[in-house]
Every structure is written in structure tokens, then in C-alpha cells.
Amino acid sequence: MLNDYQLKGSITMITLQNQQLTVKIDELGAQLHSIKRQDNGIEYLWQGDPASWNRQAPILFPFVGRLKDDQYQYGNQTYHQTQHGFARDRKFQVIEQTPSMVVMEQHDDSETKKAFPFSFSLQVKFELVIDKVEISYVVKNPSGDEPLIYAIGAHPGFNMPLTSTGSFEQTELSVKPATEYSRIVLDGAYNDSAHPQLINMQDSLSLNHDLFNKDAIIFKTDGGHFTAKLTDTVANHGVVVDTFNTEYVGVWSQYPSTAPFVCVEPWWGIADNVKADGLLLHKQGMHRLAPNETDNYHFSIKPF
């Protein structure tokens, strides 16, 4: 069938398919579970491994990155929230579906209000358009009188290399525009944006695990169109991630323990700054959405 639900233990999978692609999505967290091309059968998406990184492509909401001491203050109250927010660990409801498209939704409830005192609706749309997976986020503020303060991001991981006999070091990263970027450096789990480093991306970068000894390589993209391409140079296959209006794009792999995957992460937000004071109203990278307003975000994944 072109469009089916498959129960994996207690996990419900949604399958989308067209002539070029077969994609699976987990209702838990609306997380991509598989991306395959019809012509070669290659699994492009990291499949998760408890020994390294057990996730695959989590949605980051309502925070991107870590908060100092996993907490923040808002309205004279302290709230506790772990890295990357809670959306990735909560079930999304399917509200629209076709053989090649699905829209899923999560919204606030009594449990989310314990960690995040705002009303919200988060819709995620996955659509297969020829040979691409188009992914859109729609954030709505249903409150009639309170702003919604949030960040959002994506964290898809890709198998690199794409064959069982290859090596991580045969992976190349190239970007467009191919130019010099400010790289935001992480100090532990927190960003040190006051002291960026320059990274020259005019040529492709050959990856090795030691490049991630300071965690992610974070490109400051300043709201432009940014494309990241991962290539397994031996298999001559890979993925192209097109991002639109992002503030940052992170490229990450596990370190010092290592595993054969690379994440390309469009971010509309960032981890706490090293000098963060814990006040949500001062937090770097947060978006403020007025009552009854909507924000839209978009990126795409093209396996080749």
C-alpha cells in the first residue's frame, strides 16, 4: 500500500511513498524513521543506536539546545526543561494524510504547562515532492492575550558512510553559498557567540570525528538560504539539506564516543549563551509570537 500504519511494538509508523521515495515517520515526536530511494534501496537516515545516539531526527521545540541547569525563569517562577524541549518525546496526532503527505499536530496541555507556561499549536508537515522530502513547521499562538516565546529546530541524522564497508572519513561536507562563515563555538553545552571562529567553506570539508571535539559545527546563517551537502565519496551518494531563513545550521556527530552518522540541523534558536542569566525574556535566539498569530518554517532533504 502507498499509505499505511505499521505498529512497531507500541510505536505507530506512517509510511509515505511516491515513485522516487519511501519515507517512514514515527507518531512519537513526529520523527523521521526512514528515508529510502526507490531506485537504489539505500537507507539514508540514521537508524539509532543505544550505544551512541538512540534518536534519528527529533524536532526541537520549544527550545533548541540546553538551558543552564536545565531551567529558566519566567513570570517569577522557575521551570525545568531538558535539552531540546519536550516535543520530541510526545505523540503527534495525524490531522491530514494522503499517500505522499501527512500533517501532524501537537498542542499544549496540563503536562506541557508544567515545563512551559504558554499555549501553542505545533503542526509538522511531511510531503514527498518528486525526489525531495519537504518538511514544514507551523507554530500557532492560540492565546488571545499572551505572547508565545519559543525556539524551534530540526535534528535529522544521516548514515555516513552509506555502505557497511565504508568509513566515516570518506564523508565530505560542502555548503552553498560556498564562502567564509562565522562559526559559533560551544563552551560545554552553551554557546559563546561573542567569540566566533571563522570557517572557510569555499571548498568541501573532509570529515573526521575529531572535528566534533567541541560538539557541533554551528554555521551562523543569518536568515539566508543555506544548503548543506553530505557526500559519501566512495559510494557517490549522499543527502542535500536545503534550509530557508534559518538563523543557524548545526552539523554534528557524536564525540568522544563515535558512530557512523552526521546530523545537519536547521535551527531557529540556539542553546543558552555562556553568560545567560536564566531569564526567558533575555534568552538568546527566542521568537516572540503575538496572540492569535502564526509562524512558518521550512527545509527539505534530498537523497541522491
PDB file of all heavy atoms in Angstrom, residues 248-285:
ATOM      1  N   TYR A 248      20.749  29.627  12.297  1.00  0.00           N
ATOM      2  CA  TYR A 248      21.939  28.803  12.473  1.00  0.00           C
ATOM      3  C   TYR A 248      21.682  27.448  11.819  1.00  0.00           C
ATOM      4  O   TYR A 248      20.540  26.987  11.730  1.00  0.00           O
ATOM      5  CB  TYR A 248      22.256  28.562  13.952  1.00  0.00           C
ATOM      6  CG  TYR A 248      22.273  29.803  14.810  1.00  0.00           C
ATOM      7  CD1 TYR A 248      21.119  30.216  15.484  1.00  0.00           C
ATOM      8  CD2 TYR A 248      23.433  30.572  14.951  1.00  0.00           C
ATOM      9  CE1 TYR A 248      21.121  31.351  16.283  1.00  0.00           C
ATOM     10  CE2 TYR A 248      23.439  31.714  15.743  1.00  0.00           C
ATOM     11  CZ  TYR A 248      22.281  32.099  16.405  1.00  0.00           C
ATOM     12  OH  TYR A 248      22.277  33.226  17.179  1.00  0.00           O
ATOM     13  N   VAL A 249      22.751  26.792  11.385  1.00  0.00           N
ATOM     14  CA  VAL A 249      22.679  25.398  10.963  1.00  0.00           C
ATOM     15  C   VAL A 249      23.818  24.663  11.654  1.00  0.00           C
ATOM     16  O   VAL A 249      24.994  25.042  11.520  1.00  0.00           O
ATOM     17  CB  VAL A 249      22.782  25.245   9.438  1.00  0.00           C
ATOM     18  CG1 VAL A 249      22.876  23.769   9.053  1.00  0.00           C
ATOM     19  CG2 VAL A 249      21.587  25.896   8.735  1.00  0.00           C
ATOM     20  N   GLY A 250      23.471  23.644  12.408  1.00  0.00           N
ATOM     21  CA  GLY A 250      24.476  22.842  13.088  1.00  0.00           C
ATOM     22  C   GLY A 250      24.792  21.571  12.307  1.00  0.00           C
ATOM     23  O   GLY A 250      23.896  20.968  11.710  1.00  0.00           O
ATOM     24  N   VAL A 251      26.061  21.192  12.298  1.00  0.00           N
ATOM     25  CA  VAL A 251      26.485  19.904  11.742  1.00  0.00           C
ATOM     26  C   VAL A 251      27.167  19.152  12.881  1.00  0.00           C
ATOM     27  O   VAL A 251      28.119  19.668  13.481  1.00  0.00           O
ATOM     28  CB  VAL A 251      27.437  20.091  10.545  1.00  0.00           C
ATOM     29  CG1 VAL A 251      27.928  18.736  10.034  1.00  0.00           C
ATOM     30  CG2 VAL A 251      26.751  20.871   9.423  1.00  0.00           C
ATOM     31  N   TRP A 252      26.678  17.947  13.182  1.00  0.00           N
ATOM     32  CA  TRP A 252      27.112  17.280  14.409  1.00  0.00           C
ATOM     33  C   TRP A 252      27.264  15.783  14.214  1.00  0.00           C
ATOM     34  O   TRP A 252      26.491  15.153  13.481  1.00  0.00           O
ATOM     35  CB  TRP A 252      26.085  17.532  15.523  1.00  0.00           C
ATOM     36  CG  TRP A 252      26.364  16.791  16.794  1.00  0.00           C
ATOM     37  CD1 TRP A 252      27.316  17.087  17.734  1.00  0.00           C
ATOM     38  CD2 TRP A 252      25.674  15.630  17.270  1.00  0.00           C
ATOM     39  NE1 TRP A 252      27.258  16.172  18.766  1.00  0.00           N
ATOM     40  CE2 TRP A 252      26.262  15.270  18.505  1.00  0.00           C
ATOM     41  CE3 TRP A 252      24.628  14.855  16.756  1.00  0.00           C
ATOM     42  CZ2 TRP A 252      25.835  14.169  19.249  1.00  0.00           C
ATOM     43  CZ3 TRP A 252      24.197  13.746  17.490  1.00  0.00           C
ATOM     44  CH2 TRP A 252      24.803  13.424  18.727  1.00  0.00           C
ATOM     45  N   SER A 253      28.267  15.230  14.885  1.00  0.00           N
ATOM     46  CA  SER A 253      28.374  13.802  15.077  1.00  0.00           C
ATOM     47  C   SER A 253      28.906  13.545  16.477  1.00  0.00           C
ATOM     48  O   SER A 253      29.543  14.420  17.075  1.00  0.00           O
ATOM     49  CB  SER A 253      29.290  13.159  14.027  1.00  0.00           C
ATOM     50  OG  SER A 253      29.194  11.744  14.082  1.00  0.00           O
ATOM     51  N   GLN A 254      28.636  12.366  16.987  1.00  0.00           N
ATOM     52  CA  GLN A 254      28.970  12.042  18.371  1.00  0.00           C
ATOM     53  C   GLN A 254      30.475  12.072  18.617  1.00  0.00           C
ATOM     54  O   GLN A 254      31.265  11.641  17.773  1.00  0.00           O
ATOM     55  CB  GLN A 254      28.441  10.648  18.695  1.00  0.00           C
ATOM     56  CG  GLN A 254      28.595  10.255  20.141  1.00  0.00           C
ATOM     57  CD  GLN A 254      27.266  10.101  20.835  1.00  0.00           C
ATOM     58  OE1 GLN A 254      26.223  10.365  20.248  1.00  0.00           O
ATOM     59  NE2 GLN A 254      27.300   9.664  22.062  1.00  0.00           N
ATOM     60  N   TYR A 255      30.871  12.592  19.803  1.00  0.00           N
ATOM     61  CA  TYR A 255      32.271  12.633  20.213  1.00  0.00           C
ATOM     62  C   TYR A 255      32.307  12.785  21.740  1.00  0.00           C
ATOM     63  O   TYR A 255      31.477  13.494  22.295  1.00  0.00           O
ATOM     64  CB  TYR A 255      32.989  13.822  19.552  1.00  0.00           C
ATOM     65  CG  TYR A 255      34.492  13.799  19.746  1.00  0.00           C
ATOM     66  CD1 TYR A 255      35.321  13.176  18.826  1.00  0.00           C
ATOM     67  CD2 TYR A 255      35.069  14.382  20.867  1.00  0.00           C
ATOM     68  CE1 TYR A 255      36.694  13.142  19.010  1.00  0.00           C
ATOM     69  CE2 TYR A 255      36.436  14.340  21.063  1.00  0.00           C
ATOM     70  CZ  TYR A 255      37.242  13.727  20.130  1.00  0.00           C
ATOM     71  OH  TYR A 255      38.610  13.689  20.320  1.00  0.00           O
ATOM     72  N   PRO A 256      33.233  12.110  22.475  1.00  0.00           N
ATOM     73  CA  PRO A 256      34.366  11.309  22.003  1.00  0.00           C
ATOM     74  C   PRO A 256      33.988   9.882  21.584  1.00  0.00           C
ATOM     75  O   PRO A 256      34.728   9.241  20.850  1.00  0.00           O
ATOM     76  CB  PRO A 256      35.302  11.290  23.204  1.00  0.00           C
ATOM     77  CG  PRO A 256      34.407  11.438  24.374  1.00  0.00           C
ATOM     78  CD  PRO A 256      33.282  12.325  23.929  1.00  0.00           C
ATOM     79  N   SER A 257      32.860   9.339  22.113  1.00  0.00           N
ATOM     80  CA  SER A 257      32.400   8.091  21.508  1.00  0.00           C
ATOM     81  C   SER A 257      31.947   8.416  20.094  1.00  0.00           C
ATOM     82  O   SER A 257      31.475   9.524  19.820  1.00  0.00           O
ATOM     83  CB  SER A 257      31.250   7.484  22.327  1.00  0.00           C
ATOM     84  OG  SER A 257      30.151   8.374  22.357  1.00  0.00           O
ATOM     85  N   THR A 258      32.104   7.493  19.178  1.00  0.00           N
ATOM     86  CA  THR A 258      31.869   7.803  17.770  1.00  0.00           C
ATOM     87  C   THR A 258      30.868   6.826  17.176  1.00  0.00           C
ATOM     88  O   THR A 258      30.678   5.710  17.675  1.00  0.00           O
ATOM     89  CB  THR A 258      33.176   7.757  16.967  1.00  0.00           C
ATOM     90  OG1 THR A 258      33.732   6.435  17.023  1.00  0.00           O
ATOM     91  CG2 THR A 258      34.176   8.763  17.519  1.00  0.00           C
ATOM     92  N   ALA A 259      30.232   7.269  16.096  1.00  0.00           N
ATOM     93  CA  ALA A 259      29.276   6.438  15.384  1.00  0.00           C
ATOM     94  C   ALA A 259      29.184   6.930  13.942  1.00  0.00           C
ATOM     95  O   ALA A 259      29.498   8.096  13.656  1.00  0.00           O
ATOM     96  CB  ALA A 259      27.904   6.497  16.065  1.00  0.00           C
ATOM     97  N   PRO A 260      28.746   6.080  13.009  1.00  0.00           N
ATOM     98  CA  PRO A 260      28.761   6.431  11.588  1.00  0.00           C
ATOM     99  C   PRO A 260      27.527   7.217  11.142  1.00  0.00           C
ATOM    100  O   PRO A 260      26.721   6.740  10.352  1.00  0.00           O
ATOM    101  CB  PRO A 260      28.836   5.066  10.896  1.00  0.00           C
ATOM    102  CG  PRO A 260      28.103   4.152  11.819  1.00  0.00           C
ATOM    103  CD  PRO A 260      28.431   4.640  13.210  1.00  0.00           C
ATOM    104  N   PHE A 261      27.371   8.417  11.667  1.00  0.00           N
ATOM    105  CA  PHE A 261      26.281   9.282  11.243  1.00  0.00           C
ATOM    106  C   PHE A 261      26.728  10.742  11.333  1.00  0.00           C
ATOM    107  O   PHE A 261      27.656  11.083  12.076  1.00  0.00           O
ATOM    108  CB  PHE A 261      25.022   9.071  12.099  1.00  0.00           C
ATOM    109  CG  PHE A 261      25.131   9.590  13.505  1.00  0.00           C
ATOM    110  CD1 PHE A 261      24.855  10.924  13.804  1.00  0.00           C
ATOM    111  CD2 PHE A 261      25.514   8.756  14.548  1.00  0.00           C
ATOM    112  CE1 PHE A 261      24.958  11.412  15.097  1.00  0.00           C
ATOM    113  CE2 PHE A 261      25.632   9.231  15.847  1.00  0.00           C
ATOM    114  CZ  PHE A 261      25.343  10.566  16.122  1.00  0.00           C
ATOM    115  N   VAL A 262      26.036  11.591  10.578  1.00  0.00           N
ATOM    116  CA  VAL A 262      26.227  13.043  10.639  1.00  0.00           C
ATOM    117  C   VAL A 262      24.845  13.685  10.629  1.00  0.00           C
ATOM    118  O   VAL A 262      23.992  13.317   9.815  1.00  0.00           O
ATOM    119  CB  VAL A 262      27.053  13.585   9.447  1.00  0.00           C
ATOM    120  CG1 VAL A 262      27.225  15.096   9.564  1.00  0.00           C
ATOM    121  CG2 VAL A 262      28.406  12.901   9.367  1.00  0.00           C
ATOM    122  N   CYS A 263      24.621  14.627  11.525  1.00  0.00           N
ATOM    123  CA  CYS A 263      23.372  15.386  11.560  1.00  0.00           C
ATOM    124  C   CYS A 263      23.570  16.740  10.887  1.00  0.00           C
ATOM    125  O   CYS A 263      24.608  17.387  11.073  1.00  0.00           O
ATOM    126  CB  CYS A 263      22.919  15.618  12.995  1.00  0.00           C
ATOM    127  SG  CYS A 263      22.470  14.111  13.884  1.00  0.00           S
ATOM    128  N   VAL A 264      22.579  17.158  10.112  1.00  0.00           N
ATOM    129  CA  VAL A 264      22.509  18.524   9.581  1.00  0.00           C
ATOM    130  C   VAL A 264      21.252  19.140  10.171  1.00  0.00           C
ATOM    131  O   VAL A 264      20.142  18.665   9.902  1.00  0.00           O
ATOM    132  CB  VAL A 264      22.469  18.538   8.046  1.00  0.00           C
ATOM    133  CG1 VAL A 264      22.338  19.976   7.540  1.00  0.00           C
ATOM    134  CG2 VAL A 264      23.725  17.890   7.467  1.00  0.00           C
ATOM    135  N   GLU A 265      21.407  20.215  10.962  1.00  0.00           N
ATOM    136  CA  GLU A 265      20.344  20.676  11.843  1.00  0.00           C
ATOM    137  C   GLU A 265      19.960  22.136  11.570  1.00  0.00           C
ATOM    138  O   GLU A 265      20.671  23.053  11.978  1.00  0.00           O
ATOM    139  CB  GLU A 265      20.802  20.539  13.298  1.00  0.00           C
ATOM    140  CG  GLU A 265      21.328  19.148  13.639  1.00  0.00           C
ATOM    141  CD  GLU A 265      21.885  19.077  15.042  1.00  0.00           C
ATOM    142  OE1 GLU A 265      21.343  19.766  15.938  1.00  0.00           O
ATOM    143  OE2 GLU A 265      22.880  18.347  15.256  1.00  0.00           O
ATOM    144  N   PRO A 266      18.838  22.372  10.895  1.00  0.00           N
ATOM    145  CA  PRO A 266      18.346  23.744  10.757  1.00  0.00           C
ATOM    146  C   PRO A 266      17.792  24.235  12.094  1.00  0.00           C
ATOM    147  O   PRO A 266      16.919  23.587  12.682  1.00  0.00           O
ATOM    148  CB  PRO A 266      17.222  23.612   9.717  1.00  0.00           C
ATOM    149  CG  PRO A 266      17.385  22.263   9.094  1.00  0.00           C
ATOM    150  CD  PRO A 266      18.016  21.407  10.139  1.00  0.00           C
ATOM    151  N   TRP A 267      18.297  25.374  12.550  1.00  0.00           N
ATOM    152  CA  TRP A 267      17.890  25.916  13.855  1.00  0.00           C
ATOM    153  C   TRP A 267      17.340  27.324  13.711  1.00  0.00           C
ATOM    154  O   TRP A 267      17.960  28.183  13.094  1.00  0.00           O
ATOM    155  CB  TRP A 267      19.087  26.002  14.796  1.00  0.00           C
ATOM    156  CG  TRP A 267      19.673  24.708  15.244  1.00  0.00           C
ATOM    157  CD1 TRP A 267      19.149  23.455  15.138  1.00  0.00           C
ATOM    158  CD2 TRP A 267      20.940  24.549  15.893  1.00  0.00           C
ATOM    159  NE1 TRP A 267      20.006  22.525  15.662  1.00  0.00           N
ATOM    160  CE2 TRP A 267      21.119  23.175  16.141  1.00  0.00           C
ATOM    161  CE3 TRP A 267      21.938  25.434  16.296  1.00  0.00           C
ATOM    162  CZ2 TRP A 267      22.255  22.665  16.763  1.00  0.00           C
ATOM    163  CZ3 TRP A 267      23.072  24.931  16.914  1.00  0.00           C
ATOM    164  CH2 TRP A 267      23.220  23.560  17.147  1.00  0.00           C
ATOM    165  N   TRP A 268      16.199  27.524  14.338  1.00  0.00           N
ATOM    166  CA  TRP A 268      15.669  28.868  14.563  1.00  0.00           C
ATOM    167  C   TRP A 268      15.693  29.090  16.076  1.00  0.00           C
ATOM    168  O   TRP A 268      14.669  29.185  16.739  1.00  0.00           O
ATOM    169  CB  TRP A 268      14.256  28.966  13.992  1.00  0.00           C
ATOM    170  CG  TRP A 268      14.226  28.768  12.502  1.00  0.00           C
ATOM    171  CD1 TRP A 268      14.345  29.736  11.539  1.00  0.00           C
ATOM    172  CD2 TRP A 268      14.047  27.541  11.789  1.00  0.00           C
ATOM    173  NE1 TRP A 268      14.269  29.183  10.284  1.00  0.00           N
ATOM    174  CE2 TRP A 268      14.081  27.832  10.405  1.00  0.00           C
ATOM    175  CE3 TRP A 268      13.861  26.211  12.180  1.00  0.00           C
ATOM    176  CZ2 TRP A 268      13.933  26.851   9.422  1.00  0.00           C
ATOM    177  CZ3 TRP A 268      13.727  25.234  11.205  1.00  0.00           C
ATOM    178  CH2 TRP A 268      13.758  25.555   9.861  1.00  0.00           C
ATOM    179  N   GLY A 269      16.894  29.140  16.598  1.00  0.00           N
ATOM    180  CA  GLY A 269      17.137  29.216  18.032  1.00  0.00           C
ATOM    181  C   GLY A 269      18.509  28.639  18.325  1.00  0.00           C
ATOM    182  O   GLY A 269      19.180  28.122  17.422  1.00  0.00           O
ATOM    183  N   ILE A 270      18.936  28.699  19.579  1.00  0.00           N
ATOM    184  CA  ILE A 270      20.267  28.218  19.941  1.00  0.00           C
ATOM    185  C   ILE A 270      20.316  27.958  21.441  1.00  0.00           C
ATOM    186  O   ILE A 270      19.478  28.455  22.212  1.00  0.00           O
ATOM    187  CB  ILE A 270      21.353  29.249  19.525  1.00  0.00           C
ATOM    188  CG1 ILE A 270      22.751  28.619  19.490  1.00  0.00           C
ATOM    189  CG2 ILE A 270      21.310  30.491  20.407  1.00  0.00           C
ATOM    190  CD1 ILE A 270      23.799  29.475  18.804  1.00  0.00           C
ATOM    191  N   ALA A 271      21.292  27.158  21.869  1.00  0.00           N
ATOM    192  CA  ALA A 271      21.479  26.864  23.289  1.00  0.00           C
ATOM    193  C   ALA A 271      21.764  28.145  24.066  1.00  0.00           C
ATOM    194  O   ALA A 271      22.169  29.166  23.504  1.00  0.00           O
ATOM    195  CB  ALA A 271      22.631  25.873  23.468  1.00  0.00           C
ATOM    196  N   ASP A 272      21.568  28.091  25.371  1.00  0.00           N
ATOM    197  CA  ASP A 272      21.874  29.235  26.228  1.00  0.00           C
ATOM    198  C   ASP A 272      23.281  29.758  25.968  1.00  0.00           C
ATOM    199  O   ASP A 272      24.222  28.980  25.725  1.00  0.00           O
ATOM    200  CB  ASP A 272      21.765  28.838  27.704  1.00  0.00           C
ATOM    201  CG  ASP A 272      20.442  29.255  28.328  1.00  0.00           C
ATOM    202  OD1 ASP A 272      19.625  29.905  27.637  1.00  0.00           O
ATOM    203  OD2 ASP A 272      20.228  28.924  29.515  1.00  0.00           O
ATOM    204  N   ASN A 273      23.420  31.056  26.052  1.00  0.00           N
ATOM    205  CA  ASN A 273      24.729  31.675  25.980  1.00  0.00           C
ATOM    206  C   ASN A 273      25.507  31.409  27.268  1.00  0.00           C
ATOM    207  O   ASN A 273      24.911  31.203  28.334  1.00  0.00           O
ATOM    208  CB  ASN A 273      24.575  33.185  25.763  1.00  0.00           C
ATOM    209  CG  ASN A 273      25.883  33.865  25.445  1.00  0.00           C
ATOM    210  OD1 ASN A 273      26.609  34.315  26.335  1.00  0.00           O
ATOM    211  ND2 ASN A 273      26.219  33.945  24.172  1.00  0.00           N
ATOM    212  N   VAL A 274      26.832  31.412  27.173  1.00  0.00           N
ATOM    213  CA  VAL A 274      27.664  31.178  28.362  1.00  0.00           C
ATOM    214  C   VAL A 274      27.395  32.214  29.449  1.00  0.00           C
ATOM    215  O   VAL A 274      27.622  31.958  30.630  1.00  0.00           O
ATOM    216  CB  VAL A 274      29.167  31.171  27.997  1.00  0.00           C
ATOM    217  CG1 VAL A 274      29.515  29.947  27.184  1.00  0.00           C
ATOM    218  CG2 VAL A 274      29.573  32.451  27.274  1.00  0.00           C
ATOM    219  N   LYS A 275      26.890  33.387  29.068  1.00  0.00           N
ATOM    220  CA  LYS A 275      26.604  34.448  30.037  1.00  0.00           C
ATOM    221  C   LYS A 275      25.114  34.578  30.339  1.00  0.00           C
ATOM    222  O   LYS A 275      24.682  35.566  30.929  1.00  0.00           O
ATOM    223  CB  LYS A 275      27.154  35.779  29.537  1.00  0.00           C
ATOM    224  CG  LYS A 275      28.674  35.820  29.429  1.00  0.00           C
ATOM    225  CD  LYS A 275      29.181  37.196  29.036  1.00  0.00           C
ATOM    226  CE  LYS A 275      30.713  37.233  28.997  1.00  0.00           C
ATOM    227  NZ  LYS A 275      31.226  38.571  28.608  1.00  0.00           N
ATOM    228  N   ALA A 276      24.323  33.601  29.943  1.00  0.00           N
ATOM    229  CA  ALA A 276      22.877  33.667  30.149  1.00  0.00           C
ATOM    230  C   ALA A 276      22.538  33.801  31.629  1.00  0.00           C
ATOM    231  O   ALA A 276      23.166  33.168  32.486  1.00  0.00           O
ATOM    232  CB  ALA A 276      22.206  32.428  29.568  1.00  0.00           C
ATOM    233  N   ASP A 277      21.540  34.641  31.925  1.00  0.00           N
ATOM    234  CA  ASP A 277      21.141  34.876  33.323  1.00  0.00           C
ATOM    235  C   ASP A 277      19.935  34.041  33.740  1.00  0.00           C
ATOM    236  O   ASP A 277      19.454  34.164  34.864  1.00  0.00           O
ATOM    237  CB  ASP A 277      20.862  36.357  33.564  1.00  0.00           C
ATOM    238  CG  ASP A 277      19.722  36.905  32.704  1.00  0.00           C
ATOM    239  OD1 ASP A 277      19.019  36.109  32.048  1.00  0.00           O
ATOM    240  OD2 ASP A 277      19.548  38.141  32.688  1.00  0.00           O
ATOM    241  N   GLY A 278      19.439  33.183  32.842  1.00  0.00           N
ATOM    242  CA  GLY A 278      18.333  32.310  33.197  1.00  0.00           C
ATOM    243  C   GLY A 278      16.952  32.893  32.977  1.00  0.00           C
ATOM    244  O   GLY A 278      15.956  32.177  33.108  1.00  0.00           O
ATOM    245  N   LEU A 279      16.860  34.168  32.633  1.00  0.00           N
ATOM    246  CA  LEU A 279      15.565  34.801  32.403  1.00  0.00           C
ATOM    247  C   LEU A 279      15.123  34.554  30.959  1.00  0.00           C
ATOM    248  O   LEU A 279      15.845  34.901  30.022  1.00  0.00           O
ATOM    249  CB  LEU A 279      15.634  36.298  32.683  1.00  0.00           C
ATOM    250  CG  LEU A 279      15.982  36.705  34.127  1.00  0.00           C
ATOM    251  CD1 LEU A 279      16.081  38.223  34.239  1.00  0.00           C
ATOM    252  CD2 LEU A 279      14.939  36.157  35.101  1.00  0.00           C
ATOM    253  N   LEU A 280      13.956  33.988  30.787  1.00  0.00           N
ATOM    254  CA  LEU A 280      13.481  33.669  29.441  1.00  0.00           C
ATOM    255  C   LEU A 280      13.404  34.907  28.562  1.00  0.00           C
ATOM    256  O   LEU A 280      13.707  34.856  27.364  1.00  0.00           O
ATOM    257  CB  LEU A 280      12.113  32.991  29.520  1.00  0.00           C
ATOM    258  CG  LEU A 280      11.548  32.506  28.181  1.00  0.00           C
ATOM    259  CD1 LEU A 280      12.419  31.411  27.584  1.00  0.00           C
ATOM    260  CD2 LEU A 280      10.109  32.020  28.342  1.00  0.00           C
ATOM    261  N   LEU A 281      13.012  36.044  29.139  1.00  0.00           N
ATOM    262  CA  LEU A 281      12.883  37.271  28.360  1.00  0.00           C
ATOM    263  C   LEU A 281      14.230  37.778  27.851  1.00  0.00           C
ATOM    264  O   LEU A 281      14.278  38.594  26.930  1.00  0.00           O
ATOM    265  CB  LEU A 281      12.199  38.356  29.189  1.00  0.00           C
ATOM    266  CG  LEU A 281      10.730  38.095  29.523  1.00  0.00           C
ATOM    267  CD1 LEU A 281      10.194  39.190  30.441  1.00  0.00           C
ATOM    268  CD2 LEU A 281       9.887  37.992  28.264  1.00  0.00           C
ATOM    269  N   HIS A 282      15.331  37.304  28.427  1.00  0.00           N
ATOM    270  CA  HIS A 282      16.668  37.693  27.984  1.00  0.00           C
ATOM    271  C   HIS A 282      17.320  36.622  27.110  1.00  0.00           C
ATOM    272  O   HIS A 282      18.407  36.867  26.577  1.00  0.00           O
ATOM    273  CB  HIS A 282      17.579  37.940  29.193  1.00  0.00           C
ATOM    274  CG  HIS A 282      17.123  39.069  30.055  1.00  0.00           C
ATOM    275  ND1 HIS A 282      17.653  39.296  31.321  1.00  0.00           N
ATOM    276  CD2 HIS A 282      16.202  40.042  29.859  1.00  0.00           C
ATOM    277  CE1 HIS A 282      17.078  40.348  31.857  1.00  0.00           C
ATOM    278  NE2 HIS A 282      16.188  40.814  30.992  1.00  0.00           N
ATOM    279  N   LYS A 283      16.702  35.464  26.957  1.00  0.00           N
ATOM    280  CA  LYS A 283      17.374  34.335  26.308  1.00  0.00           C
ATOM    281  C   LYS A 283      17.627  34.597  24.830  1.00  0.00           C
ATOM    282  O   LYS A 283      16.745  35.024  24.091  1.00  0.00           O
ATOM    283  CB  LYS A 283      16.556  33.055  26.481  1.00  0.00           C
ATOM    284  CG  LYS A 283      17.186  31.861  25.774  1.00  0.00           C
ATOM    285  CD  LYS A 283      16.540  30.561  26.160  1.00  0.00           C
ATOM    286  CE  LYS A 283      16.957  29.444  25.214  1.00  0.00           C
ATOM    287  NZ  LYS A 283      18.429  29.343  25.042  1.00  0.00           N
ATOM    288  N   GLN A 284      18.847  34.299  24.400  1.00  0.00           N
ATOM    289  CA  GLN A 284      19.258  34.485  23.013  1.00  0.00           C
ATOM    290  C   GLN A 284      18.496  33.532  22.093  1.00  0.00           C
ATOM    291  O   GLN A 284      18.270  32.366  22.417  1.00  0.00           O
ATOM    292  CB  GLN A 284      20.757  34.220  22.892  1.00  0.00           C
ATOM    293  CG  GLN A 284      21.363  34.431  21.511  1.00  0.00           C
ATOM    294  CD  GLN A 284      22.860  34.159  21.511  1.00  0.00           C
ATOM    295  OE1 GLN A 284      23.452  33.858  22.549  1.00  0.00           O
ATOM    296  NE2 GLN A 284      23.481  34.261  20.351  1.00  0.00           N
ATOM    297  N   GLY A 285      18.094  34.043  20.925  1.00  0.00           N
ATOM    298  CA  GLY A 285      17.539  33.208  19.874  1.00  0.00           C
ATOM    299  C   GLY A 285      16.069  32.849  20.007  1.00  0.00           C
ATOM    300  O   GLY A 285      15.560  32.054  19.206  1.00  0.00           O
TER     301      GLY A 285
END
